[in-house]
Amino acid sequence: MKLIGSPNSPFARKVSILLIEKGLPYEWIADMPFAPDTRVPEFNPLGKVPALLTDSGRTLFDSRVIVEYLETLPPRDAFIPTDDAGRIEVKRWEALADGCIDAQAVIVFERRRTDPATISQSWIAWQSAKIDRSLAEMSRELGSARWCYGDRITLADIAVVSALGHLDLRLKEFPWRDRHPNLVAHFDRMHERPSVAETMPPGP
Ligand SMILES: N[C@@H](CCC(=O)N[C@@H](CS)C(=O)NCC(=O)O)C(=O)O
């Protein structure tokens, strides 16, 4: 299996953490989708990372499909519950965390406009509100629990730590630590795991 990703991509990190947690061997192929010589479109017509090249030669994307595929490999169903209610809850967490990353990415790209005069502060504020609300929802749902869902680590915890890690990387000024101490505790606990510590984005 080969994982095509960029080291700072939170979506690729989510997949990497799951691969490591499951103990699945894989080859990491670093590729920046915005580099002029990128080969990402050969694996994903959408030109985004992560993409996974399976041992049978199939390319899979996006990260939500890849994690579903990985859960079909042994140890099967270890990170997404198999009961309907649990599965939907964990996928809801993933959608929340991924959506939080999407809003972060929009802000990052908006700020990178070559002509600063064209940067839309109202668009940034619109996206910031999504981040605020998604973090508040994560914090509310987590409460004082150790794990996002149930009594063990799931894909939900992995998705959340990837989203929070990307905030630390790209939007350092975002005051999530002051506002949500329970997310900080979860984040710190998750960093005790080698899978999370080893996949810290190098930045910048
Ligand atoms: N929904 C996708 C999002 C992937 C994504 O946006 N990846 C970014 C890097 S973090 C990317 O490759 N962007 C390149 C582009 O938008 O052209 C997933 O979950 O895999």
Side-chain angles (χ1 to χ4, degrees):
M1 242 177 339
K2 294 180 182 176
L3 177 64
I4 298 99
S6 57
N8 288 327
S9 163
F11 299 107
R13 188 182 187 196
K14 179 178 68 177
V15 172
S16 298
I17 294 173
L18 186 63
L19 279 159
I20 296 168
E21 287 285 344
K22 287 176 76 88
L24 294 168
Y26 70 103
E27 183 185 337
W28 167 260
I29 299 182
D31 198 328
M32 314 296 181
F34 294 107
D37 59 347
T38 181
R39 292 187 57 202
V40 171
E42 293 174 30
F43 302 101
N44 177 358
L46 301 170
K48 296 184 180 192
V49 291
L52 188 83
L53 183 59
T54 70
D55 288 342
S56 61
R58 187 74 170 149
T59 51
L60 297 178
F61 48 85
D62 62 13
S63 68
R64 291 191 217 180
V65 173
I66 296 171
V67 296
E68 292 277 350
Y69 169 73
L70 295 179
E71 279 288 80
T72 68
L73 305 178
R76 256 193 96 96
D77 303 321
F79 291 85
I80 303 175
T82 48
D83 66 289
D84 291 346
R87 178 182 181 77
I88 293 298
E89 285 302 317
V90 166
K91 294 303 281 186
R92 181 185 189 274
W93 271 103
E94 186 185 23
L96 187 62
D98 283 10
C100 180
I101 298 169
D102 287 336
Q104 294 174 42
V106 173
I107 293 175
V108 170
F109 288 120
E110 186 66 20
R111 286 180 176 166
R112 282 184 189 165
R113 283 183 186 277
T114 42
D115 178 359
T118 62
I119 295 174
S120 167
Q121 294 305 331
S122 61
W123 184 229
I124 289 175
W126 183 256
Q127 300 301 327
S128 294
K130 292 178 195 287
I131 300 173
D132 283 340
R133 289 192 303 265
S134 56
L135 294 176
E137 176 76 0
M138 288 178 205
S139 176
R140 196 167 40 240
E141 290 279 312
L142 178 63
S144 58
R146 181 174 179 83
W147 305 110
C148 294
Y149 180 81
D151 57 4
R152 61 181 173 88
I153 185 173
T154 64
L155 174 65
D157 303 286
I158 295 171
V160 167
V161 79
S162 301
L164 295 176
H166 194 251
L167 262 184
D168 276 356
L169 176 71
R170 295 289 184 230
L171 299 174
K172 286 190 173 55
E173 76 283 6
F174 227 89
W176 70 273
R177 290 173 190 278
D178 302 335
R179 289 183 188 163
H180 305 300
N182 64 340
L183 293 183
V184 179
H186 180 270
F187 186 80
D188 291 345
R189 267 196 311 274
M190 287 295 286
H191 278 75
E192 290 166 10
R193 307 180 78 84
S195 63
V196 177
E198 284 168 21
T199 56
M200 289 261 294

